[in-house]
Amino acid sequence: MGLVPAAPAHPFRLEGSGDGKEVVILGAGLAGMAAAYELDKLGYRCTILEARERTGGRCWSVRKGATNEETGGGLHTAGFDAGQYFNAGPSRIPHHHGLTLHYCKELSVPIQVYNNVNENTYYYSEGKGPLSNKKVRVREAHSDVRGWMAELLAKAMDGGKIDVEMSKEDTLKVIEYLRAEGGLDIDKLYKASARRGYSESPGPGDREGKIGEPMTLLAMLQSGLLDPDFYNVAEYTYELQGTLFQAVGGMDRIAAAFEQKVGRLIRMGSEVRHIRNLEKGVQVGYKDKTGEKTMQADLCICTIPLPVLSNIDHNFSSDASRAIDSIVYMSTGKIGLQFKRRFWEEDEGIYGGITHTNNQLTQIFYPSYDYLGGKGILIGYYNFNEKAVATGNLTYEQREQLALEKGSLIHPQYRQEFERSFSVSWHKTKYNMGGWALYSADERQTLYKALLQPDKQVYFAGEHMTYLNAWMAGALESARSVVAALHSRVTGQRFSYPVFGS
Amino acid sequence: MGLVPAAPAHPFRLEGSGDGKEVVILGAGLAGMAAAYELDKLGYRCTILEARERTGGRCWSVRKGATNEETGGGLHTAGFDAGQYFNAGPSRIPHHHGLTLHYCKELSVPIQVYNNVNENTYYYSEGKGPLSNKKVRVREAHSDVRGWMAELLAKAMDGGKIDVEMSKEDTLKVIEYLRAEGGLDIDKLYKASARRGYSESPGPGDREGKIGEPMTLLAMLQSGLLDPDFYNVAEYTYELQGTLFQAVGGMDRIAAAFEQKVGRLIRMGSEVRHIRNLEKGVQVGYKDKTGEKTMQADLCICTIPLPVLSNIDHNFSSDASRAIDSIVYMSTGKIGLQFKRRFWEEDEGIYGGITHTNNQLTQIFYPSYDYLGGKGILIGYYNFNEKAVATGNLTYEQREQLALEKGSLIHPQYRQEFERSFSVSWHKTKYNMGGWALYSADERQTLYKALLQPDKQVYFAGEHMTYLNAWMAGALESARSVVAALHSRVTGQRFSYPVFGS
């Protein structure tokens, strides 16, 4: 209760000066650029080496002309119309990620609500049980399962079958609550309610509306609608609880805002080849279009994702090296599908939100922007683990075919309205090689801890150095945390960023 | 399942011409203006009589200089800063109100998401039970009650105490579902989870986060958190299920868009004094600032709210007259509170959504617009029935005091940051005299039906002539419905608007 502490939502203020110390930062993703932005304010001389010709890393909105390179996949170029985009990386900002919201404010990036839960999207169970291949509205599943569960418990409590250790009066109050929760009738029976929607809408005159027939619990169960494939996946998780936001015009507007501040410090197209702690300072070797280069700096912040760093020559400690080589990243992929018109809105009343399915697509994301507009891009799948590996193993054309074939089961309009696609398989993407770091509880105590302290002159930063994996907040919190640690070392003062290093 | 029928989301197309027939429309709210807009397209000559000097009726956003007049309350003028506003009337558009969204599109009114469910708002139980006067985050209440209920049912099912009429295997699946639903541990016990939020947020380095302690079921029960005052009121209702929208810049932008189309047909400041069906046509007497007037027309559409119409002289049938005099409207009120800064966002991470309380405020609405902005207006209370009557009986100054006193219990920042207020008590507001029509099931069969057919040359329209009471969709659906009926009569063709009159 009370105020749950949130990340500080204020400008970062540390005392003392970096006094011209040189810091080389590896990677111009959010962590690298945020670190440079804060260090630059403190009087450090920063250089950012970025392998790509763009900033942002995983904070990437795919637009016309965007390119990507996957292992064995060649260069892939987006042919979307001007003005169309989808967020290939993070697409949501939880309201409790105060630091992400703070930087949006500090850097003047407008935000808008990301509409994560939409009761009008679908659960689509392919080839399973009595509800196989039927489009079940989320509201129908929600209302029916709540109804059936509340009925079971209310009847059992009413029949004295539950040991609740409370007075008869309190028990009756719980039963009343269950009636409200489940939409039960006066006899504590679930017989559907307006909550599950109408087969005929209420309207003017004598149009009082007809409530749909409920699905049976057994049918839902047998079709897997109570499996984690569907139920509550997108709603109850702390990070997915509303209010959620997104940057207006694409999440890459956040990266672009940082780039505007630190762009002068970035050497683009500079692929790191080696990182070497020297007795004093650090040496970094990199390759750009003019050839192999080396540079030296007093200190280094390395934000390179670990599966990429694992293939870069370095002289880190054996503990750090083991961690870098061992930590596993999420396999995950998305495809953006551009359509001639927003049929999901026009024909089906779906404005934002997510359709869940048990097939390889896993999810379809509807855009939470440009409502009532003309064209639009759906995220045709957003999948994980084995499903993402299998999808990633397909060619770009095969992924498009898969998305269209499976998606057409849910939206037959796909065939008529489709224009073009662009897919990203993050675990195969050069310079990323994964979605985000995955840790077991054990690994948090061993591998993770080995990277928490700097390896001599090299500090590790990025979402993988936090408990906020996969979130932009991880990159940003990590950046501030490392800046505080580095600045403590340089000034001899003790700057503690909440908990880290304190 | 399948596509739930929604209101037609297309331009209204009826064949044939109104051929210059004269229609007088009483009231320039959404129903009156929408009817005029459609009739005008069909070649009718429309005149709208509007008592106020503004259009929109209950579709009203209170801005600097807005005025209102309540019974016994005198003229009340809003002193908000320029650019600040709150929606005194409807503030939400459900995604399934296709006709409202359609008119937004047809009339180029931009929309944005209205953020109804925010897990970071509060339940505040004043003076009741162990959680009395504590700020409980909605996520905490949601997670804990789901956890405790799922635990009760899972244990009972596991112990064979529930007769579920399903196989052992299916029973185990339900138990697995309950574990996921409730966030239970492997032993089917609820011991809190990250879903209820953190007492210490996860972050970088070794900041793994601390999960808060759950509230007991008994404490929640005794503090009334499972009463309808709080739980699920705002979430499960069909009309309040996301996606919800609002007009960008204030809901009155919808009224303004209609006004732009039919403004030339409106006689403002024209208070209707009598409505008289003649042998042919209809006579309407009204008073404007130059004096008493009468006008005649072939047909009339009367959108005047029934409690107002009840005090206007007319010669309707006794059945219609009885209905007009008997149908009860909701007592309801809102207060807008302008603050110097958005402390609910800056200090408490609350972006939109609703805080629920058992005291007279009932609800506090946080604005779903201008996030991260400077000043802002909260809706300090939005109450109903007895609470609204009691609040309405206060002076404007006393209402402000009440809102500040009770609101300060939840947000102590109120005292420091408050600037000015404006309150509306709809059931005391001249030309409205109520929030919306309330019908019992019985009244739908008697009183309501008496108004469904025109009384000679007079058609009744407005939200009160629908099963969409309180919603803008009611006004708009009713308008189209009445236009279809009127046009059928004039042309001798049969135009049926879904169900009505067919």
Side-chain angles (χ1 to χ4, degrees):
Chain A
M1 276 158 295
L3 305 189
V4 175
H10 304 284
F12 200 37
R13 288 200 181 91
L14 298 177
E15 282 168 30
S17 167
D19 212 16
K21 285 268 184 200
E22 293 191 51
V23 182
V24 59
I25 297 169
L26 311 182
L30 292 191
M33 290 196 290
Y37 174 62
E38 297 298 349
L39 288 170
D40 190 62
K41 286 187 198 168
L42 290 166
Y44 291 85
R45 284 187 290 160
C46 297
T47 304
I48 307 180
L49 300 178
E50 169 54 49
R52 291 190 173 104
E53 293 294 346
R54 66 165 179 86
T55 63
R58 282 159 284 180
C59 177
W60 183 39
S61 306
V62 177
R63 306 164 185 283
K64 184 184 175 69
T67 58
N68 199 36
E69 206 176 335
E70 293 186 15
T71 315
L75 197 73
H76 188 29
T77 304
F80 296 135
D81 285 16
Q84 296 293 322
Y85 66 89
F86 78 101
N87 294 318
S91 62
R92 299 177 271 217
I93 307 172
H95 61 271
H96 47 75
H97 283 179
L99 189 56
T100 311
L101 291 175
H102 165 72
Y103 276 120
C104 288
K105 190 167 182 174
E106 184 170 335
L107 303 175
S108 300
V109 178
I111 57 168
Q112 63 191 177
V113 168
Y114 180 88
N115 188 36
N116 199 58
V117 177
N118 175 352
E119 297 283 336
N120 209 34
T121 53
Y122 300 111
Y123 288 168
Y124 187 84
S125 182
E126 189 184 340
K128 193 168 176 186
L131 300 167
S132 169
N133 296 11
K134 298 220 192 292
K135 294 158 77 167
V136 175
R137 297 274 186 180
V138 169
R139 70 160 53 81
E140 299 173 319
H142 275 166
S143 302
D144 289 347
V145 74
R146 281 190 203 116
W148 297 127
M149 292 294 143
E151 179 184 309
L152 283 176
L153 187 55
K155 283 195 297 190
M157 290 189 81
D158 198 40
K161 292 181 183 167
I162 309 267
D163 182 17
V164 283
E165 293 173 18
M166 55 175 70
S167 68
K168 180 73 192 164
E169 192 192 341
D170 284 337
T171 306
L172 288 176
K173 276 194 207 160
V174 174
I175 293 174
E176 269 316 289
Y177 155 77
L178 288 167
R179 277 193 53 219
E181 166 71 10
L184 309 184
D185 72 6
I186 193 78
D187 299 316
K188 301 176 268 303
L189 298 176
Y190 179 63
K191 291 180 178 162
S193 79
R195 293 177 188 171
R196 75 182 313 287
Y198 291 86
S199 57
E200 190 182 298
S201 296
D206 53 10
R207 210 170 107 194
E208 63 177 306
K210 276 189 195 154
I211 292 169
E213 283 292 307
M215 300 173 283
T216 67
L217 181 57
L218 202 59
M220 295 180 74
L221 205 60
Q222 291 173 344
S223 288
L225 297 194
L226 271 57
D227 290 352
D229 275 345
F230 297 99
Y231 202 73
N232 295 334
V233 173
E235 293 179 65
Y236 291 173
T237 315
Y238 180 57
E239 283 80 9
L240 296 180
Q241 292 170 1
T243 309
L244 291 158
F245 289 107
Q246 62 190 347
V248 174
M251 215 59 122
D252 65 349
R253 297 303 86 201
I254 298 174
F258 275 110
E259 185 181 337
Q260 207 167 25
K261 297 291 184 187
V262 300
R264 66 199 146 79
L265 309 174
I266 306 175
R267 297 186 194 169
M268 306 294 282
S270 302
E271 187 185 293
V272 173
R273 294 306 191 93
H274 75 256
I275 308 163
R276 207 152 290 150
N277 270 305
L278 309 175
E279 198 150 335
K280 248 186 110 177
V282 58
Q283 184 194 66
V284 177
Y286 63 98
K287 186 185 161 197
D288 65 15
K289 58 190 163 203
T290 68
E292 301 274 351
K293 310 263 172 70
T294 62
M295 67 169 290
Q296 277 190 222
D298 297 305
L299 295 162
C300 172
I301 295 175
C302 175
T303 74
I304 298 173
L306 302 181
V308 177
L309 184 56
S310 175
N311 288 308
I312 292 172
D313 181 35
H314 60 72
N315 65 348
F316 300 147
S317 74
S318 58
D319 280 357
S321 187
R322 188 180 317 113
I324 291 164
D325 296 345
S326 310
I327 291 166
V328 171
Y329 271 50
M330 178 60 99
S331 298
T332 184
K334 283 184 184 173
I335 192 167
L337 304 173
Q338 180 181 304
F339 291 100
K340 286 174 208 156
R341 65 181 186 94
R342 301 167 80 93
F343 57 82
W344 54 93
E345 297 182 356
E346 294 171 7
D347 303 348
E348 302 179 66
I350 295 174
Y351 301 90
I354 303 168
T355 280
H356 296 273
T357 168
N358 60 344
N359 68 29
Q360 209 166 326
L361 305 183
T362 306
Q363 313 177 82
I364 297 173
F365 277 47
Y366 307 92
S368 285
Y369 50 88
D370 295 348
Y371 299 113
L372 306 184
K375 291 190 177 189
I377 294 182
L378 293 187
I379 295 181
Y381 62 74
Y382 177 25
N383 53 19
F384 312 101
N385 303 314
E386 300 78 12
K387 286 180 180 175
V389 170
T391 312
N393 286 340
L394 302 176
T395 64
Y396 299 127
E397 293 70 23
Q398 287 169 332
R399 293 178 198 169
E400 178 180 296
Q401 281 168 28
L402 173 79
L404 293 179
E405 186 198 320
K406 294 294 187 185
S408 297
L409 296 174
I410 300 169
H411 298 293
Q413 303 98 320
Y414 265 37
R415 296 287 179 200
Q416 180 82 16
E417 311 294 350
F418 175 71
E419 291 188 327
R420 54 189 57 84
S421 80
F422 186 89
S423 63
V424 183
S425 184
W426 283 105
H427 52 285
K428 295 182 75 180
T429 291
K430 198 174 176 184
Y431 307 127
N432 293 101
M433 303 308 285
W436 53 87
L438 294 172
Y439 293 102
S440 67
D442 277 355
E443 286 166 348
R444 284 285 185 195
Q445 302 309 317
T446 53
L447 301 174
Y448 178 67
K449 285 215 164 147
L451 299 175
L452 284 191
Q453 297 306 316
D455 191 296
K456 295 186 177 146
Q457 283 71 252
V458 179
Y459 291 77
F460 301 102
E463 59 83 25
H464 54 287
M465 297 314 302
T466 72
Y467 284 84
L468 296 161
N469 301 112
W471 296 100
M472 295 191 290
L476 299 171
E477 294 273 358
S478 170
R480 281 197 172 187
S481 171
V482 155
V483 166
L486 186 152
H487 193 55
S488 297
R489 172 176 179 160
V490 168
T491 61
Q493 290 183 264
R494 189 183 177 80
F495 298 108
S496 63
Y497 187 67
V499 181
F500 182 91
S502 68
Chain B
M1 279 159 294
L3 305 188
V4 176
H10 304 286
F12 201 38
R13 287 201 181 91
L14 298 177
E15 282 168 29
S17 166
D19 213 12
K21 283 267 184 201
E22 293 191 50
V23 181
V24 59
I25 297 171
L26 310 183
L30 292 192
M33 290 196 290
Y37 174 62
E38 297 299 349
L39 287 171
D40 190 62
K41 285 188 200 169
L42 290 167
Y44 290 85
R45 284 186 291 160
C46 297
T47 304
I48 306 181
L49 300 178
E50 169 54 49
R52 292 189 172 104
E53 293 295 344
R54 67 164 179 88
T55 63
R58 282 160 282 180
C59 177
W60 184 38
S61 306
V62 177
R63 305 164 186 283
K64 184 184 174 70
T67 59
N68 199 36
E69 205 177 334
E70 293 186 14
T71 315
L75 197 73
H76 189 31
T77 303
F80 295 136
D81 285 15
Q84 296 293 323
Y85 66 89
F86 78 100
N87 294 318
S91 62
R92 300 177 271 217
I93 307 171
H95 62 271
H96 47 76
H97 283 178
L99 188 57
T100 311
L101 292 175
H102 165 72
Y103 276 121
C104 288
K105 189 167 181 173
E106 184 170 334
L107 303 176
S108 300
V109 178
I111 58 168
Q112 62 191 176
V113 168
Y114 180 89
N115 188 35
N116 199 59
V117 177
N118 175 352
E119 297 283 335
N120 210 34
T121 54
Y122 301 111
Y123 288 168
Y124 187 84
S125 182
E126 189 184 340
K128 193 169 178 187
L131 301 167
S132 170
N133 295 10
K134 297 219 191 294
K135 293 158 77 167
V136 175
R137 296 273 186 181
V138 170
R139 69 160 54 79
E140 299 173 319
H142 274 167
S143 302
D144 289 348
V145 73
R146 280 190 203 116
W148 297 128
M149 293 294 142
E151 179 184 307
L152 282 176
L153 187 54
K155 284 195 296 189
M157 290 189 82
D158 197 40
K161 292 182 183 166
I162 309 268
D163 182 18
V164 283
E165 294 173 18
M166 53 175 70
S167 68
K168 181 73 192 161
E169 192 192 340
D170 285 336
T171 306
L172 288 176
K173 277 195 206 161
V174 173
I175 293 173
E176 270 315 289
Y177 155 77
L178 287 167
R179 278 193 53 219
E181 166 71 11
L184 310 184
D185 72 7
I186 193 77
D187 298 317
K188 300 176 270 301
L189 298 175
Y190 179 63
K191 291 179 177 162
S193 79
R195 292 177 189 170
R196 77 182 312 287
Y198 291 85
S199 57
E200 190 182 297
S201 296
D206 52 11
R207 207 170 109 194
E208 63 177 307
K210 276 188 195 154
I211 291 170
E213 283 292 307
M215 300 173 282
T216 67
L217 182 58
L218 202 59
M220 295 180 73
L221 205 60
Q222 290 173 345
S223 287
L225 298 194
L226 271 56
D227 290 351
D229 275 346
F230 298 98
Y231 202 73
N232 295 333
V233 174
E235 294 178 66
Y236 290 173
T237 315
Y238 180 57
E239 283 78 11
L240 296 180
Q241 292 170 0
T243 309
L244 290 159
F245 289 107
Q246 62 190 347
V248 174
M251 214 59 122
D252 65 349
R253 298 302 86 202
I254 297 174
F258 274 111
E259 185 181 337
Q260 207 167 25
K261 295 292 183 185
V262 300
R264 65 194 149 79
L265 308 175
I266 305 175
R267 297 186 194 168
M268 306 294 281
S270 302
E271 187 183 295
V272 173
R273 294 307 190 93
H274 75 257
I275 307 163
R276 207 150 292 147
N277 270 305
L278 308 176
E279 196 150 336
K280 248 185 110 177
V282 59
Q283 186 195 66
V284 176
Y286 63 97
K287 186 185 162 196
D288 65 17
K289 58 188 162 203
T290 68
E292 302 273 352
K293 308 265 171 72
T294 60
M295 66 170 289
Q296 276 190 224
D298 297 306
L299 295 162
C300 172
I301 295 176
C302 175
T303 74
I304 299 173
L306 302 180
V308 178
L309 184 56
S310 175
N311 288 309
I312 292 172
D313 181 36
H314 60 73
N315 65 348
F316 301 146
S317 74
S318 58
D319 279 0
S321 188
R322 187 179 316 114
I324 291 163
D325 295 344
S326 311
I327 291 166
V328 172
Y329 271 50
M330 177 61 98
S331 297
T332 184
K334 283 184 184 172
I335 192 167
L337 304 172
Q338 181 181 304
F339 291 100
K340 287 175 206 153
R341 66 180 186 96
R342 300 166 80 93
F343 57 82
W344 55 94
E345 297 182 358
E346 294 171 7
D347 303 349
E348 302 179 67
I350 295 174
Y351 302 90
I354 302 168
T355 279
H356 296 273
T357 168
N358 60 345
N359 69 28
Q360 208 165 327
L361 305 182
T362 306
Q363 313 178 80
I364 297 174
F365 277 46
Y366 307 93
S368 285
Y369 51 87
D370 295 348
Y371 300 114
L372 306 184
K375 292 191 175 188
I377 294 182
L378 293 187
I379 294 180
Y381 61 73
Y382 177 25
N383 52 19
F384 313 100
N385 303 313
E386 299 76 12
K387 287 179 180 176
V389 170
T391 313
N393 286 341
L394 303 176
T395 65
Y396 299 127
E397 293 71 24
Q398 288 169 329
R399 292 178 198 169
E400 178 181 294
Q401 281 168 27
L402 173 79
L404 293 180
E405 185 198 321
K406 294 294 186 186
S408 296
L409 298 174
I410 300 169
H411 297 293
Q413 304 99 320
Y414 265 37
R415 297 285 179 201
Q416 180 82 16
E417 311 293 352
F418 174 70
E419 291 189 326
R420 53 190 59 86
S421 80
F422 186 89
S423 62
V424 183
S425 183
W426 282 106
H427 52 284
K428 294 181 76 180
T429 291
K430 199 173 176 186
Y431 306 128
N432 292 102
M433 303 308 285
W436 53 87
L438 294 173
Y439 293 102
S440 66
D442 277 354
E443 286 167 348
R444 284 284 186 196
Q445 301 310 316
T446 52
L447 301 174
Y448 179 66
K449 285 214 164 147
L451 299 175
L452 284 192
Q453 296 306 316
D455 191 294
K456 292 186 179 147
Q457 282 72 252
V458 179
Y459 291 77
F460 301 103
E463 58 84 26
H464 55 286
M465 298 313 303
T466 72
Y467 284 84
L468 296 162
N469 300 111
W471 295 99
M472 295 190 291
L476 300 171
E477 294 273 359
S478 170
R480 281 196 172 188
S481 171
V482 155
V483 166
L486 185 153
H487 194 53
S488 296
R489 172 177 179 158
V490 168
T491 61
Q493 289 182 268
R494 188 180 177 82
F495 299 108
S496 62
Y497 187 67
V499 181
F500 181 90
S502 68

